Coordinates of all heavy atoms in Angstrom, one line a residue:
T45 N 146.2 212.9 84.3 CA 146.1 213.4 85.7 C 144.8 213.2 86.3 O 143.8 213.6 85.8 CB 146.5 214.8 85.8 OG1 147.8 215.1 85.2 CG2 146.6 215.2 87.3
K46 N 144.8 212.4 87.3 CA 143.4 212.0 88.0 C 143.4 212.7 89.5 O 144.4 212.6 90.2 CB 143.1 210.6 88.1 CG 143.0 209.9 86.6 CD 141.9 210.3 86.0 CE 141.6 209.6 84.7 NZ 140.5 209.9 83.9
V47 N 142.3 213.1 89.9 CA 142.2 213.6 91.2 C 140.8 213.0 91.9 O 139.9 212.8 91.2 CB 142.0 215.1 91.3 CG1 140.8 215.7 90.6 CG2 142.1 215.6 92.7
F48 N 141.0 212.5 93.1 CA 139.9 212.0 93.8 C 139.0 213.1 94.2 O 139.3 213.8 95.2 CB 140.3 211.1 94.9 CG 139.3 210.2 95.4 CD1 138.8 209.0 94.7 CD2 138.8 210.3 96.7 CE1 137.8 208.3 95.2 CE2 137.8 209.4 97.2 CZ 137.3 208.4 96.4
F49 N 137.7 213.3 93.7 CA 136.9 214.4 94.0 C 135.4 213.9 94.2 O 134.9 213.2 93.4 CB 136.9 215.4 92.9 CG 136.2 216.6 93.2 CD1 136.7 217.6 94.2 CD2 135.0 216.9 92.5 CE1 135.9 218.7 94.3 CE2 134.3 218.1 92.6 CZ 134.8 219.0 93.6
N50 N 134.9 214.2 95.4 CA 133.5 213.8 95.7 C 133.4 212.3 95.5 O 132.2 211.9 95.0 CB 132.5 214.6 94.9 CG 132.4 216.0 95.3 OD1 132.8 216.3 96.5 ND2 132.0 216.9 94.5
G51 N 134.3 211.4 95.9 CA 134.1 210.0 95.9 C 134.5 209.4 94.5 O 134.2 208.0 94.5
N52 N 134.9 210.1 93.6 CA 135.2 209.5 92.4 C 136.6 210.0 91.8 O 137.0 211.2 92.1 CB 134.1 209.8 91.3 CG 132.8 209.3 91.6 OD1 132.7 208.1 91.6 ND2 131.9 210.1 92.1
W53 N 137.2 209.2 90.9 CA 138.4 209.7 90.2 C 138.0 210.4 88.9 O 137.3 209.9 88.1 CB 139.3 208.5 89.8 CG 140.0 207.9 90.9 CD1 139.8 206.6 91.5 CD2 141.2 208.4 91.7 NE1 140.7 206.4 92.5 CE2 141.5 207.5 92.7 CE3 141.9 209.7 91.5 CZ2 142.6 207.7 93.6 CZ3 143.0 209.9 92.3 CH2 143.2 208.9 93.4
I54 N 138.5 211.7 88.8 CA 138.0 212.5 87.6 C 139.3 213.2 87.1 O 140.4 213.2 87.7 CB 137.0 213.6 88.1 CG1 137.7 214.6 89.0 CG2 135.7 213.0 88.6 CD1 136.8 215.8 89.2
D55 N 139.2 213.7 85.8 CA 140.3 214.4 85.2 C 140.6 215.7 86.1 O 139.6 216.3 86.4 CB 140.0 214.7 83.9 CG 139.9 213.5 82.9 OD1 140.6 212.5 83.2 OD2 139.1 213.5 81.9
L56 N 141.8 216.0 86.2 CA 142.0 217.2 86.9 C 142.1 218.4 85.9 O 142.8 218.3 84.9 CB 143.5 217.2 87.6 CG 144.0 218.5 88.2 CD1 143.0 218.9 89.4 CD2 145.4 218.3 88.8
S57 N 141.3 219.5 86.2 CA 141.2 220.6 85.4 C 140.9 221.8 86.2 O 139.9 221.7 86.9 CB 140.3 220.4 84.2 OG 139.0 220.3 84.7
N58 N 141.6 222.9 86.2 CA 141.5 224.1 86.9 C 140.9 223.8 88.2 O 141.6 223.4 89.1 CB 140.9 225.2 86.1 CG 139.6 224.9 85.3 OD1 138.6 224.5 86.0 ND2 139.6 225.1 84.0
G59 N 139.7 224.2 88.6 CA 139.2 224.2 89.8 C 138.6 222.9 90.4 O 138.0 222.9 91.4
S60 N 138.7 221.8 89.6 CA 138.0 220.6 89.9 C 138.6 219.9 91.1 O 137.9 219.0 91.7 CB 138.2 219.6 88.7 OG 139.4 219.2 88.5
A61 N 139.7 220.3 91.8 CA 140.2 219.7 92.8 C 139.8 220.4 94.2 O 140.1 220.0 95.2 CB 141.7 219.6 92.9
S62 N 139.0 221.5 94.1 CA 138.6 222.3 95.3 C 137.1 222.5 95.3 O 136.5 222.9 94.4 CB 139.4 223.7 95.1 OG 138.9 224.6 96.0
N63 N 136.7 222.3 96.5 CA 135.2 222.7 96.8 C 135.0 224.1 96.6 O 133.8 224.5 96.5 CB 134.9 222.2 98.1 CG 134.8 220.6 98.2 OD1 134.3 220.0 97.4 ND2 135.2 220.1 99.4
E64 N 136.0 224.9 96.7 CA 135.9 226.4 96.5 C 135.8 226.8 95.1 O 135.6 227.9 94.7 CB 137.0 227.1 97.2 CG 137.1 226.8 98.7 CD 136.0 227.3 99.5 OE1 135.4 228.3 99.0 OE2 135.8 226.9 100.6
N65 N 136.1 225.9 94.1 CA 136.2 226.1 92.7 C 137.3 227.3 92.4 O 137.0 228.2 91.7 CB 134.9 226.6 92.1 CG 134.9 226.4 90.6 OD1 135.6 225.5 90.1 ND2 134.2 227.2 89.9
L66 N 138.4 227.1 93.1 CA 139.5 228.1 93.0 C 140.7 227.4 92.8 O 140.8 226.1 92.8 CB 139.7 228.9 94.3 CG 138.5 229.9 94.6 CD1 138.6 230.3 96.0 CD2 138.4 231.0 93.7
A67 N 141.8 228.1 92.4 CA 143.0 227.5 92.0 C 144.0 227.2 93.2 O 144.3 228.1 94.0 CB 143.7 228.3 90.9

Side-chain angles (χ1 to χ4, degrees):
T45 304
K46 299 291 185 180
V47 61
F48 194 70
F49 185 69
N50 287 340
N52 297 289
W53 287 107
I54 64 172
D55 294 329
L56 176 61
S57 62
N58 49 58
S60 64
S62 169
N63 288 318
E64 304 288 340
N65 200 35
L66 296 168

